[in-house]
Amino acid sequence: MLNKTGKSGVAVLVAGVAVFAGSVTLLVLTGNTAVRYSADHGDTVPVWTRWAPALAGIMAIRLVPARPPVALLASRGTRVEAEVLLAAALVFAVALRLTGGGEPAHVLLKLLLLLVVPLVLFRVRRGSSAIALGDRPRVAPVVPVAVWLLLSCAGPFALRPSDYADTVDTVTLIATVVVVFLVNSLLEEVFYRRWSQTRWEAVLGRWPAIVLVSLLWAGWHAAIQGVGDLPVDLASAFANQGAQGLFLGYLWSRYRLMWPLLVVHGAVNALPMFL
């Protein structure tokens, strides 16, 4: 079974929940409840519309039968690896903000800090961590992913369409979708969920790790979707992408499969272009 949450885990969980609650409170008090949802334009949506699909997906995960949680076998090196990955995530968020969040800084920093640093770390510490993923339920995630997709494609919570597909040729559109999927969906889910969250679960427990990594993943979005006011930008990211991160993190923790994460994250980036 999953490692139990100790005192450190409880502290992280309480602090993380406080960050989420404080972010929403700040947005309400400052009247910034309409948040940006893309770095490509300045359009906004009410922040609460971003919560409904994620919360419905989490509820669906709870209702769908799954095998018992797999064991997380943490060695002494697991915390070291978790902390290095945490540092890489923080440096990425800060460096991206300082460089303005544009290209090519975004891609270069992401490749360096979210790919090269972890690969070097795992090479140096080869065999130091023993984290068993176990036998995983292949089909069970279909239901929560379908629930999320349904709410994200239709109704009041649907992702807003983009006119990007109408402004480029077919080859450019396909190339954009592929590159965005590899650099954003695939790399981010591998780094934040498969590598970071798995190790922090072994150290802190399930929900403290999910909350911690969700905030780390959300935080860097302030650099590409912000309006220049750092507290508001961070609050918007935590309240928006942070909620999506809880759903993605729970998907990973419950099923230990990459395909549900890639479908959801890929859809977030690609659906607006095809709606």
Side-chain angles (χ1 to χ4, degrees), residues 111-231:
L111 291 175
L112 173 62
L113 293 165
L114 305 191
L115 182 60
V116 175
V117 169
L119 292 180
V120 171
L121 170 68
F122 300 150
R123 178 69 178 178
V124 171
R125 301 187 57 80
R126 184 170 46 189
S128 63
S129 289
I131 300 179
L133 296 183
D135 186 22
R136 291 159 284 175
R138 303 285 175 180
V139 181
V142 168
V143 173
V145 169
V147 168
W148 182 90
L149 283 171
L150 179 62
L151 290 175
S152 297
C153 291
F157 313 117
L159 295 168
R160 296 289 181 87
S162 166
D163 61 357
Y164 178 77
D166 297 326
T167 63
V168 297
D169 57 77
T170 302
V171 174
T172 301
L173 177 62
I174 294 174
T176 300
V177 171
V178 171
V179 171
V180 168
F181 177 81
L182 293 175
V183 175
N184 294 336
S185 306
L186 179 58
L187 179 54
E188 288 176 30
E189 291 309 317
V190 169
F191 176 84
Y192 286 99
R193 251 63 71 169
R194 187 180 186 92
W195 289 343
S196 299
Q197 183 182 308
T198 303
R199 284 164 174 78
W200 279 114
E201 281 189 48
V203 175
L204 299 174
R206 168 181 278 170
W207 277 105
I210 292 174
V211 170
L212 173 62
V213 174
S214 295
L215 292 173
L216 289 173
W217 177 65
W220 73 264
H221 288 82
I224 63 172
Q225 295 182 12
V227 296
D229 186 337
L230 183 58

Side-chain angles (χ1 to χ4, degrees), residues 1 4 14 24 26 34 59 64 76 88 141 153 195 213-214:
M1 60 186 298
K4 294 182 178 180
V14 171
V24 175
L26 177 62
M59 291 176 63
V64 174
R76 288 185 300 176
C153 291
W195 289 343
V213 174
S214 295

